[in-house]
Amino acid sequence: MLEVWERFSFYGIRPLLVLFMAAAINAGGLGIERENAAAIVGIFGGCLYLVTLPGGWFADNYLGQKNAILLGSIIIALGHLSIALSYFVSFMFFVGLILIVIGTGLFKPCASVIVGMLYKQDDVRRDSGFTIFYMGVNIGAFFAPLICGFLQVSYGWHFGFGAGGLGMLLAVLIFYFKTIADLKEYDDKIGLEQSWDKPQTKNKNIKFIFFSSLAFIIILILLAYILSKCGGAFDLNPVSLSKKMFFVILAFTGIYFLYLFFFSSLTPLEKKNLIVFMILFFAAAFFWSTFEQQPTSFNLFALDFTDRKIFDYEIPAVWFQSLNPLFIIIFAPLVALIWIFLAKHNLEISSITKFALGVLGAGISFMIMMFAAKNALANNEHSVSMLWIISSMWFLTMGELCLSPVGLSIMTKIAPNLIKNQVMGLWFVATALGNVIAGLMGGHVDIKQINSLPNLFEQCMWSLFILSIILFLIKKPIHKMLKKG
């Protein structure tokens, strides 16, 4: 229930962001060019997952899972409140995005780690458990675009944003009054794999690091405010900034991986696991660069090129963002049952194979979008059946069900205990890279650039197909590496 409302808050505002920023000022939006708006959404999504790394570090060294989730939930709620207040002061929109980024950095890695604690190390139900958890997450993600999209169309942008804030407030109340009590009872009667209410280690310099980070964030907000008053907020060029951000994330990830490998006190087996982790990290980053085009290229394609009318009613473009969580709710239990059935009959598919199947599913999704774009180009009215985007989203979702919960499961299994939250945070950095790339690619969906659409989707398709073949080819060496450990 905690995840239902936290995800409701996030997926309620996510599809509205690019549409709100790209909408004309006289239509209540910010009047930003689509390419820049999509880049900003990519930067937001990238930062959202990037801060899970320092968030996991603070949880490991100072807060513990319980306090990190509680503090993160409160900060996210304040972020949604700030976005709602942007009706009066437009700058509060960007303050809200910053607060949501910070809060999510604390919340997201710890929630996944706690789920992993519920299972013993060799429990075969772990993958299926994360799949069910993933289904629960998507209940909130399903209802959010429907409710927030309806409120936005009927009453205005800020009612849509405000509904997401109410969802986060419910998440805070559920965690404080219900989740904490349940975890205490579970720990007392059954026992968790490790401590969840206090940090693994205590860092002596944590207060200095914490307040230095807080000062840096405040300075960043003040600087952005000054730039906005000088009329230079968007002279920073979001597209250029997004490109630089991609290389910065990549560089720091590499440095951090080298630090963990050579300078931390890891065993030889844990170092082998880190190598496997990095292989899956880059595969996941590529997958998310295509998957996270839902709020950008898929969203804009639904707006501009899809026939959304049923009888006399035109479906809001935002509602198509509910397809992905709807398919997860329907098919996640089936996928979980398939994994358990195969394991019981000694036909278990390895996690790496599931990963490769996930990438393959995404490739098929973009193949469908390529044909949809070609049909839109051939159609003088530039409008195609909604069945194209529905079927594409189905394959994308099936790919996600094979890759994402399995990836979370692998990380909680192979991550060293002393840095478990940090490794989980590093795993989410793959999603950060994917979001940044998706933002750069997604802004090119436009009536004026219809000729480039088939090529955009085709490039994604071939890249995903090639990556899936590579993963199938290297799965045996990876298994041998882990078994030798």
Side-chain angles (χ1 to χ4, degrees), residues 434-468:
N435 272 269
V436 174
I437 300 170
L440 289 171
M441 293 191 297
H444 297 288
V445 178
D446 199 320
I447 291 286
K448 299 175 183 177
Q449 301 181 28
I450 187 172
N451 291 327
S452 65
L453 272 185
N455 289 333
L456 170 67
F457 293 131
E458 186 175 9
Q459 288 170 8
C460 293
M461 175 193 75
W462 285 118
S463 300
L464 288 163
F465 282 162
I466 292 169
L467 178 60
S468 66

Side-chain angles (χ1 to χ4, degrees), residues 39 42-43 46-47 50 238-254 281-282 284-286 288-289 429-441:
I43 292 171
C47 290
L50 184 62
V239 174
S240 175
L241 184 63
S242 188
K243 292 176 181 177
K244 291 181 176 66
M245 183 179 175
F246 169 75
F247 289 107
V248 169
I249 294 173
L250 201 60
F252 275 98
T253 301
F281 173 90
F282 286 109
F286 203 90
W288 293 120
S289 71
V429 172
T431 314
L433 279 172
N435 272 269
V436 174
I437 300 170
L440 289 171
M441 293 191 297

Side-chain angles (χ1 to χ4, degrees), residues 4-161:
V4 163
W5 290 108
E6 189 274 332
R7 289 291 86 184
F8 178 93
S9 71
F10 175 68
Y11 284 99
I13 70 161
R14 188 182 78 149
L16 296 178
L17 292 177
V18 70
L19 301 180
F20 172 67
M21 286 187 284
I25 294 175
N26 59 10
L30 297 181
I32 302 172
E33 290 184 7
R34 280 190 172 195
E35 190 176 3
N36 287 335
I40 291 171
V41 172
I43 292 171
F44 167 69
C47 290
L48 198 76
Y49 291 98
L50 184 62
V51 294
T52 56
L53 187 54
W57 187 87
F58 274 113
D60 280 336
N61 291 273
Y62 183 59
L63 295 170
Q65 273 88 3
K66 182 183 78 172
N67 292 330
I69 290 178
L70 182 59
L71 181 61
S73 299
I74 294 170
I75 294 173
I76 294 170
L78 291 174
H80 284 281
L81 177 63
S82 299
I83 289 177
L85 291 175
S86 67
Y87 180 79
F88 304 102
V89 182
S90 59
F91 177 73
M92 292 301 292
F93 176 79
F94 296 99
V95 172
L97 294 184
I98 292 172
L99 290 173
I100 291 172
V101 163
I102 296 168
T104 304
L106 292 170
F107 182 99
K108 199 162 186 66
C110 297
S112 299
V113 167
I114 287 180
V115 173
M117 287 182 191
L118 301 175
Y119 295 89
K120 301 299 181 184
Q121 188 69 15
D122 298 323
D123 197 327
V124 296
R125 299 171 300 173
R126 181 184 289 262
D127 282 5
S128 297
F130 268 94
T131 301
I132 294 169
F133 171 70
Y134 210 69
M135 181 184 66
V137 168
N138 283 274
I139 292 173
F142 167 69
F143 286 107
L146 298 177
I147 294 173
C148 295
F150 171 78
L151 290 172
Q152 179 266 313
V153 171
S154 303
Y155 302 103
W157 295 103
H158 295 87
F159 279 89
F161 287 128

